[in-house]
Amino acid sequence: QPQTIDETTISYLTKAEEATERVTKLVNEFLDISQMEVGKSILKKTQVSIKDLIDSVFRELEAEIQKAGLSIEIDIQDGTKLNIDEQKIREALVNLVDNAIKYNKQGGNIFVKGEKTTHPIERDKQIYKITIEDSGIGLTKEELSKIFTQYFERGKEAEKLYTTGRGIGLALTKNIIQAHNGRIYAESDGRDKGARFVVEMPI
């Protein structure tokens, strides 16, 4: 008698397969994104709903979120669309949420906020600001100063939680955001005080 696989397992396997196919397709393009100008030239931009995009990111990472027992709160202004390369921005957001999961505490929380706001310098322009905040192990001042460099590695504290954790994904994430004329930065009040990653994109 052939063994049947329950629907939950099939769902997880399907998501894993889709994620693998997407990442495989992106590898060569990521090499180009190492230079921002090259990145701009290969962007395939369309009008994308930020709420739908973030919802799909959390659906993909649902199994990891449940395993860690995390509480999720998402506060996104409905209806905002950005002119972006959906696949690349999605991968950048997956990187950020994945970090918020891996470097969190069992039973911790993740808060995501999306809002239109005024550009910090060019006050006549509006930007869209996405904040991904976690209750995890946080970042020291030294870690904050080099977190987006290509060879950044978390400290000993993080290695205990996630032994294969490397921040190379954050360097790629920064390049993708910059290729869209956006910016990304990280904030933390210190070790064990959580971290905030902020993405600002032109509207």
Side-chain angles (χ1 to χ4, degrees), residues 29 32-33 36-46 83-89 175-182 201:
E29 292 185 4
D32 290 337
I33 292 172
M36 190 169 72
E37 290 305 312
V38 176
K40 284 180 185 176
S41 70
I42 61 168
L43 296 178
K44 302 177 185 73
K45 290 185 176 181
T46 56
N83 188 35
I84 55 175
D85 185 315
E86 181 172 9
Q87 194 179 28
K88 291 185 180 65
I89 291 294
N175 287 334
I176 291 170
I177 302 300
Q178 286 185 334
H180 284 79
N181 295 318
M201 301 284 289

Side-chain angles (χ1 to χ4, degrees), residues 7-202:
E7 285 185 20
T8 306
T9 305
I10 290 171
S11 171
Y12 287 157
L13 288 171
T14 303
K15 284 176 185 170
E17 184 182 15
E18 286 170 358
T20 304
E21 285 175 3
R22 194 187 69 252
V23 172
T24 301
K25 186 178 175 184
L26 282 170
V27 166
N28 288 329
E29 292 185 4
F30 274 153
L31 296 175
D32 290 337
I33 292 172
S34 62
Q35 293 179 34
M36 190 169 72
E37 290 305 312
V38 176
K40 284 180 185 176
S41 70
I42 61 168
L43 296 178
K44 302 177 185 73
K45 290 185 176 181
T46 56
Q47 290 290 318
V48 178
S49 160
I50 288 299
K51 186 175 189 306
D52 290 349
L53 189 59
I54 287 175
D55 283 346
S56 78
V57 167
F58 277 89
R59 277 197 302 275
E60 179 179 326
L61 298 171
E62 186 180 2
E64 289 91 333
I65 290 166
Q66 288 181 358
K67 188 177 176 183
L70 300 175
S71 299
I72 307 297
E73 186 181 345
I74 301 174
D75 177 14
I76 303 290
Q77 286 185 2
D78 284 336
T80 301
K81 290 188 175 182
L82 296 181
N83 188 35
I84 55 175
D85 185 315
E86 181 172 9
Q87 194 179 28
K88 291 185 180 65
I89 291 294
R90 189 178 192 283
E91 198 60 36
L93 293 173
V94 165
N95 270 337
L96 294 176
V97 176
D98 192 45
N99 266 359
I101 296 167
K102 284 172 181 165
Y103 299 113
N104 217 317
K105 296 168 183 172
Q106 187 70 28
N109 56 67
I110 296 174
F111 175 62
V112 181
K113 185 174 179 66
E115 58 184 333
K116 286 181 184 175
T117 186
T118 306
H119 191 285
I121 298 164
E122 300 172 63
R123 308 301 290 179
D124 58 331
K125 287 186 182 177
Q126 275 204 316
I127 56 171
Y128 197 82
K129 183 176 177 181
I130 301 167
T131 305
I132 298 170
E133 186 169 356
D134 67 64
S135 60
I137 64 169
L139 293 152
T140 64
K141 284 184 180 177
E142 185 187 359
E143 287 170 340
L144 277 171
S145 70
K146 56 187 179 184
I147 191 165
F148 294 107
T149 61
Q150 192 169 359
Y151 301 108
F152 171 77
E153 290 189 47
R154 295 271 181 151
K156 296 293 176 191
E157 189 91 9
E159 287 170 19
K160 292 178 205 166
L161 287 178
Y162 187 68
T163 52
T164 58
R166 284 173 177 266
I168 289 173
L170 289 175
L172 293 174
T173 296
K174 182 177 182 179
N175 287 334
I176 291 170
I177 302 300
Q178 286 185 334
H180 284 79
N181 295 318
R183 74 172 186 137
I184 181 171
Y185 55 94
E187 300 174 331
S188 178
D189 296 327
R191 182 62 77 228
D192 292 323
K193 293 183 178 177
R196 290 176 301 282
F197 284 82
V198 182
V199 175
E200 295 177 348
M201 301 284 289

